[in-house]
Amino acid sequence: MQLDGVAAVVTGGGSGLGAATARALAAKGAKVAILDFNEEGAKAVAAEIGGVAQACDVSKPEDVETALAAAAAAHGDARLLVNCAGVAPAQKILSRSGTMPLEAFRKGVEVNLIGTFNVLRLFAERAAKLEPLATGERGVIVNTASIAAYDGQIGQTSYAASKAGVVGLTLPAAREFAPLGIRVVTIAPGIFETAMLKGLPEAAQQSLGEQVPFPSRLGRPEEYAKLVLQIVDNEMLNGEVIRLDGALRMAPK
């Protein structure tokens, strides 16, 4: 799919991987709508790239319906969805302070898995009604999992389980949407430079980066965005989960 003039939606586009993706898409000529719980961050990125921003809790159907309608009103119905919205809760199941509250586990699943599915289904409903392009495509969906889906560390039960769910929905969604000409691909990033990691001391960031076999550094959001562009461009990429991790396999802790 060629991006020039195409309407795109990026969740979690107010910062990190989503912001880098929104910038990369806009640079290719896409009309980008940013959906983010952090409305201030979304508006800042949208103003920078000439896009639109909408406050949105991806786990709430009414929020997503409203946001997609606003995006369509501004740019027309989108052919590209990039799901970057997510949270990274960290808590042991059993600790000296007691048992992990069920709500703490539920939060990660609600945002990372249910939120991803919620936006995916409502985007697909709209994209399915579009006229196919010359290639037969109607749309592309790129979801974000994590290598924690495979190598979840101690304290990451909610995060790892939710991201494993995103991995698991990729193939059946791609198979279901294939007759509609809508592709579904998931990226599973390793350790990337995000707001959460940038808040750590420099020594801690360096230590994390050194765990990556090669290149021995933290991933850059722009590298995630570059992969999104490659997925959009390559029609044969469908139903696949791509690890973007420099060959990192995380230790238990």
Side-chain angles (χ1 to χ4, degrees):
M1 180 187 294
Q2 298 300 310
L3 283 168
D4 190 31
V6 166
V9 171
V10 180
T11 72
S15 63
L17 304 180
T21 299
R23 294 184 182 105
L25 294 174
K28 290 292 185 179
K31 299 176 291 185
V32 184
I34 297 171
L35 280 54
D36 203 305
F37 189 76
N38 174 9
E39 186 175 10
E40 183 178 347
K43 286 182 175 179
V45 176
E48 175 190 336
I49 65 173
V52 296
Q54 183 74 28
C56 181
D57 180 341
V58 294
S59 68
K60 294 182 177 178
E62 61 275 14
D63 270 26
V64 177
E65 288 170 353
T66 297
L68 291 180
H75 297 153
D77 278 321
R79 291 189 183 271
L80 172 62
L81 166 65
V82 185
N83 269 318
C84 290
V87 294
Q91 190 171 350
K92 289 184 177 180
I93 302 170
L94 302 174
S95 66
R96 292 177 182 175
S97 60
T99 306
M100 177 181 178
L102 185 58
E103 188 54 38
F105 183 88
R106 192 191 309 276
K107 179 65 175 178
V109 175
E110 281 282 345
V111 176
N112 297 340
L113 177 54
I114 295 175
T116 294
F117 177 77
N118 187 33
V119 185
L120 174 149
R121 71 186 182 94
L122 294 171
F123 166 87
E125 180 184 27
R126 287 175 169 271
K129 299 172 185 176
L130 296 173
E131 286 297 314
L133 301 173
T135 59
E137 285 184 294
R138 283 188 171 87
V140 179
I141 298 169
V142 181
N143 295 324
T144 306
S146 166
I147 62 170
Y150 309 99
D151 311 332
Q153 297 182 299
I154 292 170
Q156 286 190 332
T157 49
S158 176
Y159 184 69
S162 64
K163 293 300 188 178
V166 175
V167 168
L169 71 81
T170 304
L171 182 58
R175 286 172 163 171
E176 180 176 341
F177 295 161
L180 300 172
I182 299 173
R183 294 190 284 123
V184 183
V185 179
T186 293
I187 301 173
I191 306 174
F192 272 66
E193 293 174 350
T194 60
M196 181 177 64
L197 283 181
K198 285 182 178 178
L200 296 175
E202 186 63 35
Q205 293 184 46
Q206 184 175 344
S207 175
L208 286 169
E210 289 172 351
Q211 295 176 28
V212 182
F214 186 83
S216 295
R217 59 169 173 78
L218 299 177
R220 297 169 184 143
E222 293 77 16
E223 292 168 323
Y224 173 96
K226 185 184 294 186
L227 182 53
V228 171
L229 296 181
Q230 292 164 342
I231 290 168
V232 173
D233 183 62
N234 192 331
E235 295 170 29
M236 191 54 71
L237 280 172
N238 193 16
E240 185 58 87
V241 180
I242 304 170
R243 290 182 67 130
L244 187 65
D245 60 14
L248 175 64
R249 300 298 182 268
M250 293 193 295
K253 59 181 178 180

